[in-house]
Amino acid sequence: MSAPRTSSPLLVGGAVAVAVPGVVMSLGGLSLTPPVDALIYGLAIVGAAFLLSWAAEAAQVDISAGLAIALLALVAVLPEYAVDFVFTIQGGNAYAEFGPTCLPPGSTEQSPCGLALANMTGANRILVGVGWALVVLLAAIRLRTSAGRSGELGDGGTNHREGHATRVTLSRTDSVPLMFLLLATLYSLTLPLRVSITFVDLVVLVGIFVAYSIRVARAPAEDPDLIGPSAWIGEKATTPRRTWYIGLFVLAAAIIIACAEHFADALVETGTELGISQFFLVQWLAPLASEAPELLVAGLYAWRLKTTDALATLVSSKVNQWSLLVGTLPLVFALAAGSFNGLPIDVDQREELLLTAAQSLFAVALLVTLSISVKGALALLGLFVAQFLLAAFLPAALQETELLILSAVYVVLAVVLFVRQRKALVTLFRDGLRTPYSELTKENA
């Protein structure tokens, strides 16, 4: 465990201070203007997300390594769950009132049901297109600034330099989350063919998540290498340590509960007031607020060349969002709508789901050998930037074609990589699903 910094208590206090205005506004029923409200509530969620990340990292001291990574990944995306559930509940209420369109007759507004899926697809694409690429590119930059240093990284990962290319290699144990991500991705490719996300999808996707959790819970315990506030908490005696991270969990959850709905409403109102697409704000701005701390933590680990920890956590987060989050949406929707018909998927959302699933397939294909190069990271980032810019500036009439073309590019590239690395794919299936952890960890012994 790295030594805690004296500034750690100030960082914790700063995260709490950032959240205070949003909590005060929420409890006091106060409102300024929609853009300012969105900013204040968004900052509160960011502060809460930092608290969650530090608490989850400190909790690694008391649980197994694999389960710790899964827990960290799950807790880190809780703000995203909260915001998406708010949109899903609003969609369910609209469905109960207006039927499958979730809108009154003749309305030209964005469907609340569509906003729930927009938030989910945006969060998933940011996590992979920005997060995964960020880890590799920061590690490459770090290596360049350290005079081309190479060799064993501090967390068991390995970095290889080939000319100007840097390849980040994961440990064999990372086959487990990657394999379950592949399973969830293959199933998710069927979602664009549906008219709704139903309880069948809940059973399958939540089942994948449960199986994944059971698998990683068997990972052996390790001494985590913590930094910043998580190290400051983690190095305390058992009772104070547990009191601290449980207290931070509770505090962060309270902040998120107080602010998530107001943040969602303020975003939608901001779009209406400023003439900005509500769909665009919900798909890209809201996930940036909820994912920012996780991306920052991963970036810090990558800068310290702790690339295995950084990338493994982001892969686990993707498993969570692409299985548990998507799987629970129909349950939340049903409770709000009073109907078991499922969360409606309109034509536009089918294309968004297809693109998100296709990106996920390509990302897994890049990591099928448990390594990813700078070239692969740039491909992830470049394709993400392309879809973001096209969504921002392309006329709505042309966006359908853009989504389909980008989806096809992702799928074709993924198939090519899987065919080229078919032996590695077989190994991934075996190690991810069957090989005991005692054998997976031999390389790190």
Side-chain angles (χ1 to χ4, degrees):
M1 223 181 279
S2 62
R5 298 180 180 178
T6 56
S7 60
S8 293
L10 295 178
L11 291 174
V12 174
V16 174
V18 165
V20 167
V23 173
V24 170
M25 286 183 61
S26 174
L27 296 179
L30 305 176
S31 179
L32 301 174
T33 64
V36 175
D37 290 350
L39 175 62
I40 292 174
Y41 288 123
L43 287 175
I45 290 175
V46 169
F50 272 113
L51 296 177
L52 284 173
S53 296
W54 293 328
E57 288 175 2
Q60 294 182 60
V61 176
D62 296 316
I63 55 180
S64 70
L67 186 58
I69 289 179
L71 174 64
L72 173 59
L74 175 61
V75 170
V77 297
L78 282 181
E80 175 57 35
Y81 278 61
V83 174
D84 208 0
F85 284 173
V86 168
F87 285 115
T88 305
I89 291 170
Q90 292 174 348
N93 293 336
Y95 183 94
E97 185 174 358
F98 304 116
T101 63
C102 301
L103 286 172
S107 175
T108 58
E109 295 182 358
Q110 177 64 50
S111 165
C113 298
L115 292 180
L117 292 176
N119 187 253
M120 180 272 292
T121 54
N124 272 278
R125 299 214 292 264
I126 287 172
L127 188 64
V128 173
V130 176
W132 291 24
L134 178 72
V135 167
V136 180
L137 297 177
L138 281 178
I141 294 171
R142 182 71 175 87
L143 284 165
R144 284 180 178 273
T145 61
S146 59
R149 183 178 62 187
S150 63
E152 290 297 317
L153 300 183
D155 58 351
T158 305
N159 178 81
H160 305 281
R161 286 186 62 86
E162 300 173 358
H164 294 292
T166 301
R167 178 173 291 275
V168 172
T169 302
L170 298 177
S171 67
R172 194 178 172 191
T173 56
D174 295 315
S175 300
V176 176
L178 195 62
M179 184 63 241
F180 281 93
L181 175 56
L182 178 57
L183 293 178
T185 297
L186 291 175
Y187 183 80
S188 71
L189 286 169
T190 68
L191 296 180
L193 305 176
R194 320 283 186 78
V195 295
S196 63
I197 300 178
T198 68
F199 273 67
V200 173
D201 304 312
L202 181 152
V203 171
V204 174
L205 291 172
V206 174
I208 290 174
F209 176 78
V210 171
Y212 162 66
S213 299
I214 293 172
R215 176 84 165 114
V216 299
R218 297 170 180 167
E222 295 179 3
D223 185 22
D225 186 10
L226 306 178
I227 59 174
S230 59
W232 175 64
I233 297 169
E235 290 189 348
K236 295 180 181 298
T238 301
T239 299
R241 178 179 67 245
R242 292 175 179 174
T243 301
W244 264 98
Y245 66 67
I246 292 173
L248 290 182
F249 279 139
V250 173
L251 177 60
I255 293 170
I256 291 169
I257 291 172
C259 298
E261 183 174 3
H262 296 292
F263 177 56
D265 291 339
L267 274 182
V268 174
E269 293 171 8
T270 296
T272 302
E273 182 175 294
L274 301 182
I276 302 173
S277 167
Q278 295 175 353
F279 185 92
F280 181 82
L281 288 176
V282 170
Q283 186 171 46
W284 300 117
L285 184 58
L288 276 178
S290 56
E291 303 280 4
E294 184 178 11
L295 298 180
L296 179 57
V297 170
L300 290 174
Y301 271 113
W303 191 252
R304 296 176 64 230
L305 298 182
K306 304 287 292 180
T307 49
T308 297
D309 280 349
L311 196 53
T313 300
L314 292 180
V315 171
S316 291
S317 293
K318 176 65 175 177
V319 176
N320 290 323
Q321 291 191 182
W322 210 215
S323 58
L324 187 62
L325 175 59
V326 180
T328 50
L329 289 183
L331 175 60
V332 175
F333 179 83
L335 293 174
S339 169
F340 294 99
N341 291 334
L343 176 60
I345 305 174
D346 60 26
V347 174
D348 292 338
Q349 293 309 312
R350 290 193 191 103
E351 294 157 359
E352 295 287 347
L353 284 169
L354 175 61
L355 180 59
T356 308
Q359 183 207 43
S360 181
L361 188 69
F362 175 58
V364 174
L366 284 174
L367 274 176
V368 73
T369 60
L370 296 183
S371 67
I372 181 172
S373 66
V374 168
K375 183 178 179 180
L378 288 173
L380 274 178
L381 182 61
L383 287 170
F384 172 81
V385 171
Q387 64 183 265
F388 178 81
L389 293 177
L390 290 173
F393 300 109
L394 200 65
L398 300 178
Q399 288 187 12
E400 177 181 351
T401 303
E402 167 253 327
L403 293 174
L404 293 175
I405 291 175
L406 282 173
S407 298
V409 170
Y410 275 126
V411 171
V412 169
L413 290 175
V415 170
V416 170
L417 288 172
F418 280 133
V419 171
R420 286 182 177 179
Q421 305 291 346
R422 51 190 177 275
K423 292 184 178 179
L425 183 60
V426 173
T427 301
L428 180 68
F429 269 89
R430 182 183 66 247
D431 287 351
L433 298 176
R434 297 179 55 188
T435 305
Y437 263 99
S438 58
E439 183 175 338
L440 293 178
T441 55
K442 281 182 180 178
E443 65 182 46
N444 297 330

